[in-house]
Amino acid sequence: MANNVIILAGGQGKRMKINSPKVLCRVLGEPMIEWVMRACEDAGLKDICVVKGFAGEQIDEFVAGRRSVGEVSTVLQAERLGTGHAVMMAEDFLRGHIGGSTLVLCGDAPFIDAATIKGALELHEKKGCGVTVVTSVVEDATGYGRVVRTEEGIAGIVEHKDCTEEQLKIREINSGCYWFDTKALLEVLFEIKPNNAQGEYYLTDCVELMIKKGRTADAYISENPNVALGANDRRGLLKLNDIARMSVIDKWLDEGIEFTCLDGVSIGRDVVIGRGTRIDAGVELRGKTVIGEDCVIGRGCELENTAIGNGVVLNNVHAFDAVVDDNAKIGPFVQLRPGTHICRGVKIGDFVEIKNSTIGEGTAVAHLTYVGDSDVGMNVNFGCGVATANYDGEKKFRTVVGDNAFIGCNTNLVAPVTIGKGAYTAAGSTITGDVPADALAIERGQAVIKEEYAKKKLEKRTRKFEDSRK
Ligand code: UD1
Ligand code: CA
């Protein structure tokens, strides 16, 4: 029987002042429970049962929206009566897994890692334990359950509120993560009584109950100093974010990535950065963003699920689900929206937005331009203030611009429209029909000149101004 997992996720983020499950609070952009599930999956565990409680439908939504490696089910703990009670809710799940081992962990302790899970399982199996507790030796054990050691293993876990003076001095704490022999767990689970300081069903009581039944209990000290860390309020969550943030940045420092200043820099754990790339202040890299070699990701860039080639220079670029090829130079103040592909050597200047478009090799879009739903060829030049009119309020239409075309300043390209290869549009034109290759299109009003008209107007204005100064 395969090993399996129960994740406790019943708690409300009361002190976070939110009306959602606490485990959905985000660390480095991902819900805490996502960190926990990933650690399990990285350790090769695929069969997961989540015990939901407060706003459980939000947990279901999260599970449904997630790309899980294996089977993830949920069970409801309608009343919050303690960690032991929470596991009782997963009785059917446990009965379906007799013969294997069950990993129980807290959905709000995001830094559990695969190495710890596997290391603890190794000890658990080697010693044939009924339960193996993952522990951590900490400076300040306040609030945590203390692990009482014996020659052979452990004798029990005592909650902070139930500790004697002596026990309070113990610095080895229960991380809230355990390996159980599934069958042995079922044999003791329903014997747990809520006779303690908090009147709760403590899962930790399983340790003593198992020992009474002649099973071995042991503890595995994790090498990960953050294994037990959780957050109860916003301040605590911010601390977790800082720890996660710095651990990712540390990894990239080891890889030789240059950071000029870490203020506001945040990099998701799945982001990849190539050698020789520099990251400036205020840069946020999220999701599956991949950056090539020798790039400059300048101040204030925000990249989400975006692929950047080699030698790219970005400055204050906000890109979402976009692709940027080698040697492109983009910014400042540019937004690349989903479906954008910027080809090699493209130059994009200030206040430009590109959406769902391909911009061909060597093309320049210098300033104040919107390109939406367009297929733009190579070596095209967009003047200042060009806009594609891609939307008629109902439907979206595409604009096609051929290689070497030149789009004059303030041209409106009213889609669907095609500008042929090498064609020019005159500044200020509103192009509503196709332009053949190599042609010049002028689509604007004729100039009307009224000689001396302005002069009379100006005289009147000047007189008024002079009067006002008297
Ligand atoms: C628990 C452990 C403690 C350990 C600590 C590590 C017990 C009795 N104590 O204490 O030894 O040091 O974790 O963080 O287990 N939950 C439910 N339903 C409930 C109660 C809790 O789903 O009825 C969930 C919570 O949402 C949370 C996890 O279980 O994810 C742990 O619960 P929490 O109340 O934080 O346990 P602690 O008192 O911190
Ligand atoms: Ca806790």
Side-chain angles (χ1 to χ4, degrees), residues 237-248:
L237 190 65
L238 189 59
K239 247 185 219 150
L240 297 189
N241 267 290
D242 273 341
I243 289 170
R245 186 176 85 93
M246 282 316 297
S247 107
V248 173

Side-chain angles (χ1 to χ4, degrees), residues 308-387:
I308 305 284
N310 300 321
V312 171
V313 178
L314 306 181
N315 174 8
N316 272 291
V317 172
H318 300 259
F320 310 89
D321 302 293
V323 176
V324 177
D325 293 346
D326 296 351
N327 303 115
K329 194 165 180 288
I330 309 179
F333 315 117
V334 168
Q335 179 166 216
L336 307 178
R337 290 168 53 200
T340 292
H341 181 181
I342 305 295
C343 296
R344 211 174 228 288
V346 164
K347 283 198 174 52
I348 296 178
D350 44 289
F351 305 105
V352 170
E353 175 176 329
I354 316 265
K355 187 213 81 176
N356 190 26
S357 297
T358 299
I359 307 296
E361 194 176 329
T363 286
V365 188
H367 14 233
L368 297 158
T369 288
Y370 170 61
V371 181
D373 303 314
S374 300
D375 306 298
V376 178
M378 292 194 289
N379 194 35
V380 171
N381 188 83
F382 281 78
C384 178
V386 172

Side-chain angles (χ1 to χ4, degrees), residues 1-4 6 47 49 90-102 182-183 186:
M1 177 52 67
N3 293 334
N4 56 92
I6 294 176
D47 206 347
C49 175
E91 182 183 357
D92 290 346
F93 176 81
L94 289 168
R95 293 213 179 281
H97 289 90
I98 289 172
S101 293
T102 300
T182 310
K183 186 161 171 277
L186 275 165

Side-chain angles (χ1 to χ4, degrees), residues 77-98:
Q77 181 195 26
E79 266 183 302
R80 196 186 149 90
L81 302 177
T83 47
H85 181 259
V87 174
M88 289 176 199
M89 302 300 110
E91 182 183 357
D92 290 346
F93 176 81
L94 289 168
R95 293 213 179 281
H97 289 90
I98 289 172

Side-chain angles (χ1 to χ4, degrees), residues 200-255:
E200 286 184 1
Y201 294 86
Y202 286 172
L203 180 62
T204 46
D205 286 355
C206 285
V207 174
E208 281 181 54
L209 290 168
M210 281 207 192
I211 292 168
K212 271 192 202 138
K213 286 201 166 26
R215 296 298 303 253
T216 316
D218 208 343
Y220 174 85
I221 304 178
S222 171
E223 282 172 25
N224 171 356
N226 301 321
V227 73
L229 282 189
N232 291 317
D233 53 21
R234 290 291 177 191
R235 208 161 277 112
L237 190 65
L238 189 59
K239 247 185 219 150
L240 297 189
N241 267 290
D242 273 341
I243 289 170
R245 186 176 85 93
M246 282 316 297
S247 107
V248 173
I249 288 172
D250 261 345
K251 177 183 87 180
W252 290 115
L253 284 167
D254 286 340
E255 291 296 319

Side-chain angles (χ1 to χ4, degrees), residues 7-12 22-23 51-53 77 79-87 105-109 141 143-146 157-161 173-178 196 198 200-205 228-230 232:
I7 300 176
L8 307 185
Q12 179 188 2
K22 183 163 115 183
V23 297
V51 182
K52 61 192 173 181
Q77 181 195 26
E79 266 183 302
R80 196 186 149 90
L81 302 177
T83 47
H85 181 259
V87 174
L105 29 66
C106 301
D108 60 356
Y144 288 106
R146 308 300 206 277
I157 297 166
V158 188
E159 288 310 292
H160 184 102
K161 285 181 181 154
I173 56 137
N174 168 21
S175 70
C177 170
Y178 327 72
N196 49 59
Q198 303 187 87
E200 286 184 1
Y201 294 86
Y202 286 172
L203 180 62
T204 46
D205 286 355
L229 282 189
N232 291 317

